[in-house]
Amino acid sequence: MRRIIWLMLALTLLSTNAGAQILKKLGRRIENKVKQRIERKADEAIDRGLDEVEDAAEGRTGQKKEEDETTNVSTADSQAPDSAGNGDPMVYAKFDFIPGNAVLFYDDFSADAMGDFPSKWNTNGGGEVVALGEEHVRFLQLKGGSLYLPTSGPLPDAYTIEFDLKTTGLSREISSASFLDIMLDESSSFQSGSKRVFASLSLCQYISNGLPIGSYGGSAGTIKNTIDEDYRAAIAGGPHIAIAVNKSRFRLWLNARKMVDVPTLVPPGTAHLKLRLRGFDTDYKQMGVFIGNVKIAAGGIDLRSELLAKGRWSTSGIRFEVNSARVRPESYGVLKAVAEVLKANPDINVAIVGHTDSDGADDLNQQLSEQRAAAVKQVLINTYGITAERMETTGRGESEPVADNSNGEGKAQNRRVEFIKQSS
């Protein structure tokens, strides 16, 4: 009721000569801010009124709609499976993202001092490494209006991009002009090239803003569209972003949800990743936007041919929580592919072998690698119905590295799971 009264008073103020004189004295900028705030409040009031009418029509009066709970993740987003595939694994059972097999760039910001701008990135503005949560996981905090370029070099024809996105302060006051732009550009500088692609994740919470995408300079001409998806709860809850590029095809997942799949979106030569946070000054003062665990990997290998023809397949795409055997949900695309090969070839059994990087004590890494292999087996049993007798597990700890453990890319490559074919 107080908000409605405030809205009526504000509208009355704007309609009177006295109100007009006040706004004139304050200047056009403040006038625009007031009008913008009034329009936002009006939108909120209309949304609430429509929600109440809809709830009443469906017999839900008094219930809080899930998509309005901006501080919580939706049911689908929050039920990440544990290491045994529990929780609600079927949420991720159809997740079909498979990361590239060769790590080109990895940054968890562990090598950077707190408060510094990370050494593996470039920017035309600013940013700093911060620690979030009880476990003090490191993230890069983005600053409004700035561009961020990882120093990864030009990307190949087929590759994947992954990162964790965290936010704070995403209230209903955040404007509809607030976005995180993910861009692929032919230019490696801060200027835009004539060939480029963008997908913009909305940070707005008071209305569903969709997901704008666009492409310039491709064979299909200019492409611009806004995908009608409501993902506000997922953004507020801190999603995992996954992107797969295969020549001109562009796909984007938000947690387990595929948001974009366009066959001709990516023009040739758009080989440089750029990120940009944009919005109003008032948005930047209220919200925090952070990225972490950034991984870029070259395109995938055909799992079927590798496992069947060569007898083994190794992947760094099965991810675990830090110092844990808990399988992260974004790993389910890889696990689904493994299960499909095993189901199509019932005469094949596999040995599942866990590997770690060199951080930590040798004996603890050995134990962790064994536990992770066992956790992978359990997910394949619980979620995909592979019988336990077809899989055996072991761990090698840090004893068999395939890359240099002195840098992030090498460590990411060494944290892997191998599948070795065995005859039944």
Side-chain angles (χ1 to χ4, degrees), residues 147-150 153-155 183-197 267-275:
L147 278 165
Y148 297 88
L149 287 68
L155 299 169
M183 299 173 286
L184 304 174
D185 199 321
E186 68 173 352
S187 169
S188 60
S189 70
F190 295 114
Q191 283 71 45
S192 296
S194 59
K195 294 180 180 180
R196 61 190 188 277
V197 175
T270 52
H272 299 279
L273 171 65
K274 301 177 182 180
L275 301 176

Side-chain angles (χ1 to χ4, degrees), residues 353-405:
V353 185
H355 299 267
T356 71
D357 60 30
S358 61
D359 289 350
D362 293 1
D363 57 340
L364 294 179
N365 283 335
Q366 176 62 36
Q367 182 181 10
L368 184 61
S369 67
E370 295 170 1
Q371 292 171 344
R372 287 178 170 177
V376 168
K377 175 181 177 179
Q378 204 61 47
V379 172
L380 290 170
I381 294 170
N382 291 358
T383 304
Y384 298 105
I386 306 300
T387 57
E389 293 75 17
R390 298 183 62 189
M391 299 174 285
E392 64 179 43
T393 66
T394 188
R396 297 282 187 268
E398 61 184 79
S399 64
E400 297 179 1
V402 294
D404 189 350
N405 271 308

Side-chain angles (χ1 to χ4, degrees), residues 77-122:
D77 295 318
S78 64
Q79 293 178 335
D82 61 20
S83 60
N86 299 318
D88 186 1
M90 298 313 295
V91 170
Y92 295 90
K94 296 182 179 180
F95 182 49
D96 57 353
F97 170 78
I98 300 178
N101 55 290
V103 179
L104 304 174
F105 177 90
Y106 181 81
D107 202 356
D108 60 3
F109 309 109
S110 60
D112 299 294
M114 297 288 291
D116 281 357
F117 187 81
S119 58
K120 291 185 178 181
W121 294 75
N122 197 5

Side-chain angles (χ1 to χ4, degrees), residues 141-406:
Q141 182 172 9
L142 308 182
K143 301 297 183 182
S146 299
L147 278 165
Y148 297 88
L149 287 68
T151 54
S152 57
L155 299 169
D157 287 341
Y159 58 91
T160 57
I161 301 168
E162 298 178 80
F163 61 90
D164 295 326
L165 177 64
K166 299 293 184 184
T167 60
T168 58
L170 288 195
S171 72
R172 296 175 71 92
E173 298 297 319
I174 299 301
S175 77
S176 59
S178 183
F179 289 91
L180 175 63
D181 296 325
I182 303 169
M183 299 173 286
L184 304 174
D185 199 321
E186 68 173 352
S187 169
S188 60
S189 70
F190 295 114
Q191 283 71 45
S192 296
S194 59
K195 294 180 180 180
R196 61 190 188 277
V197 175
F198 71 86
S200 300
L201 298 174
S202 174
L203 302 169
C204 176
Q205 294 290 306
Y206 78 93
I207 57 170
S208 175
N209 219 11
L211 199 163
I213 61 170
S215 173
Y216 303 90
S219 59
T222 298
I223 297 174
K224 292 188 74 175
N225 188 26
T226 297
I227 297 172
D228 186 16
E229 291 275 2
D230 187 351
Y231 50 93
R232 288 175 287 174
I235 288 291
H240 181 76
I241 309 299
I243 296 167
V245 174
N246 193 328
K247 295 184 178 179
S248 63
R249 186 179 182 183
F250 181 94
R251 290 175 290 170
L252 184 149
W253 290 260
L254 195 72
N255 291 329
R257 186 174 170 186
K258 185 186 289 185
M259 307 288 289
V260 182
D261 191 349
V262 181
T264 57
L265 193 68
V266 183
T270 52
H272 299 279
L273 171 65
K274 301 177 182 180
L275 301 176
R276 178 178 62 195
L277 177 62
R278 58 186 170 95
F280 293 137
D281 289 343
T282 51
D283 298 326
Y284 303 147
K285 291 177 181 178
Q286 178 174 326
M287 69 182 180
V289 179
F290 314 83
I291 59 170
N293 293 311
V294 184
K295 179 182 175 183
I296 304 174
I301 292 175
D302 183 355
L303 166 60
R304 181 183 177 86
S305 64
E306 285 287 305
L307 189 57
L308 298 184
K310 296 184 179 180
R312 65 172 59 214
W313 182 65
S314 178
T315 177
S316 61
I318 300 176
R319 300 179 63 194
F320 303 88
E321 299 292 351
V322 178
N323 296 323
S324 168
R326 181 183 175 93
V327 178
R328 288 179 58 119
E330 59 265 26
S331 308
Y332 273 53
V334 176
L335 295 169
K336 178 174 178 286
V338 172
E340 288 173 349
V341 170
L342 293 177
K343 288 179 179 179
N345 299 273
D347 58 329
I348 290 178
N349 296 339
V350 292
I352 303 171
V353 185
H355 299 267
T356 71
D357 60 30
S358 61
D359 289 350
D362 293 1
D363 57 340
L364 294 179
N365 283 335
Q366 176 62 36
Q367 182 181 10
L368 184 61
S369 67
E370 295 170 1
Q371 292 171 344
R372 287 178 170 177
V376 168
K377 175 181 177 179
Q378 204 61 47
V379 172
L380 290 170
I381 294 170
N382 291 358
T383 304
Y384 298 105
I386 306 300
T387 57
E389 293 75 17
R390 298 183 62 189
M391 299 174 285
E392 64 179 43
T393 66
T394 188
R396 297 282 187 268
E398 61 184 79
S399 64
E400 297 179 1
V402 294
D404 189 350
N405 271 308
S406 67

Side-chain angles (χ1 to χ4, degrees), residues 127-146:
E128 62 178 318
V129 175
V130 300
L132 299 179
E134 294 180 358
E135 296 183 351
H136 303 288
V137 178
R138 294 192 176 194
F139 284 79
L140 168 59
Q141 182 172 9
L142 308 182
K143 301 297 183 182
S146 299

